[in-house]
Amino acid sequence: MFYFALIASFLIALVYIRFLRQMDVFEPEQWRYTWICFLLGVFSVAGIFSVYYFFPQIMARPQDGNFAIRFQFHFFSVASLEELAKISPFLLLLMSKRVINESFDYIKYASLGAMGFAALENVLYFSRNLHIIEGRAFYTAVMHMFTSSLIAYCMYAFKKRFNIPGFVVFCFAYPIAAGFHGLFNALISSGQTYLLGIGLVLCMLIAWGRMMNNTLNHSEFFHSEPVQNKITMAGIQLLIGWGLVFLFAAFAIGILEGWSQSFVFLREGFVFGFISGAGLYLALARPRIRQGKWFPLIGRLKKE
């Protein structure tokens, strides 16, 4: 099962990596910086493991099912540590103006570091249960990339609009991102609040797409040549990649558990897969490219 878990995790990461690179329509960097950031995200998991190894009491889950207690545990014991690990690759690359030299790079590299972290995390989860591939490819991946991007986006936007230094912005953006992460974990960890967790991640998806839109609108390399076709193609390929991940999960389950289980997975997951894919496309692949325009992260956009 480990090899299937490894392949599935890499496929999910590759789908989002390719999408992020295709969305970088004004000034794309070399592939090597993409892989450096992604691998730094993978290695950042070692920091989390080190903390849990030396302080195992941190992971002592509360017995009480109360939501407030669950949130407290996930915020302090999980989210605050993971958000620091996930954003560290972006912060390291931010020191080099040769790599992060454009507004969209803030979202791109923050997301790549988060995807690297999630990729190794997914290997561990998928090694125990391949049936969760679909959910983690959508819910968890979007959550991880949104929270890391939120920190980076705030650092860029507040610096550009209000000239507030990035390290000052980081001090308040980091706990907010950890709060969203902890809230997501607390909601989906209980059947009573699971649907609220789904609603939260859909809001995260919309906000993540708006962050991309705003940073593209303020690109230092903005030009008048049409880029919407490139972005649309990025969305289409994201959908194709999402479908391939779904089919690979079904194939792996068929090999390991029998084809009857594979057909059950396909039948039960089709509606979820269709809705998730449509959500990804609608939220991410239809930005309004308007130079210098800021759009709200949440809420309906006015017709122009």
Side-chain angles (χ1 to χ4, degrees):
M1 182 179 286
F2 172 76
Y3 294 107
F4 284 114
L6 187 64
I7 295 171
S9 179
F10 180 75
L11 277 177
I12 293 168
L14 190 60
V15 167
Y16 285 111
I17 288 171
R18 183 172 175 79
F19 172 74
L20 288 165
R21 282 190 58 85
Q22 289 180 306
M23 287 293 290
D24 193 1
V25 291
F26 292 121
E27 200 269 331
E29 289 79 29
Q30 298 176 9
W31 266 100
R32 62 175 175 172
Y33 298 124
T34 296
W35 291 118
I36 287 171
C37 189
F38 174 77
L39 291 174
L40 285 173
V42 172
F43 294 140
S44 71
V45 179
I48 301 294
F49 286 164
S50 299
V51 172
Y52 291 155
Y53 178 80
F54 289 106
F55 304 98
Q57 65 274 15
I58 292 178
M59 287 303 291
R61 288 180 175 269
Q63 299 299 318
D64 194 327
N66 180 277
F67 173 79
I69 294 177
R70 292 204 314 274
F71 173 75
Q72 182 180 10
F73 166 76
H74 285 291
F75 177 80
F76 290 105
S77 297
V78 181
S80 59
L81 297 174
E82 291 190 0
E83 289 306 319
L84 199 58
K86 289 192 302 164
I87 200 63
S88 57
F90 164 77
L91 295 176
L92 288 172
L93 292 178
L94 188 60
M95 299 178 186
S96 173
K97 293 182 180 180
R98 185 173 61 178
V99 181
I100 299 179
N101 59 353
E102 182 195 10
S103 53
F104 183 76
D105 291 343
Y106 280 73
I107 306 303
K108 175 182 173 181
Y109 287 103
S111 298
L112 287 171
M115 198 66 248
F117 180 95
L120 185 55
E121 189 180 57
N122 282 339
V123 173
L124 302 178
Y125 280 103
F126 297 162
S127 296
R128 297 194 296 265
N129 183 6
L130 287 173
H131 289 264
I132 63 173
I133 287 178
E134 207 177 17
R136 289 195 62 83
F138 180 67
Y139 297 149
T140 312
V142 168
M143 182 277 294
H144 277 310
M145 289 187 285
F146 162 77
T147 52
S148 292
S149 294
L150 180 62
I151 299 173
Y153 178 79
C154 288
M155 292 175 67
Y156 169 77
F158 279 84
K159 172 68 175 177
K160 184 172 181 65
R161 302 185 73 175
F162 308 110
N163 201 29
I164 301 177
F167 72 90
V168 174
V169 178
F170 176 84
C171 290
F172 73 79
Y174 160 65
I176 293 174
F180 277 114
H181 188 158
L183 179 60
F184 170 79
N185 283 4
L187 288 173
I188 65 168
S189 63
S190 171
Q192 295 178 331
T193 55
Y194 188 82
L195 290 178
L196 292 176
I198 294 176
L200 176 63
V201 83
L202 291 176
C203 291
M204 290 178 175
L205 177 61
I206 294 171
W208 188 45
R210 299 278 178 85
M211 291 179 201
M212 293 187 198
N213 198 158
N214 286 339
T215 50
L216 286 173
N217 286 347
H218 290 83
S219 172
E220 290 77 359
F221 301 91
F222 195 99
H223 53 71
S224 57
E225 296 177 14
V227 295
Q228 187 59 54
N229 287 341
K230 293 181 180 180
I231 294 174
T232 301
M233 183 57 64
I236 292 173
Q237 293 190 15
L238 176 64
L239 283 178
I240 294 172
W242 174 252
L244 290 175
V245 168
F246 181 59
L247 291 176
F248 176 79
F251 171 76
I253 291 170
I255 293 292
L256 295 171
E257 302 178 17
W259 297 109
S260 60
Q261 288 298 313
S262 176
F263 290 128
V264 170
F265 173 81
L266 287 170
R267 185 178 67 250
E268 294 180 349
F270 177 78
V271 174
F272 170 81
F274 178 81
I275 294 174
S276 301
L280 287 170
Y281 181 83
L282 293 174
L284 304 180
R286 301 173 63 196
R288 296 185 183 182
I289 305 301
R290 309 285 190 274
Q291 186 174 18
K293 183 73 174 179
W294 293 98
F295 293 114
L297 297 188
I298 289 293
R300 187 174 182 179
L301 299 181
K302 297 179 180 179
K303 292 184 178 181
E304 298 180 347

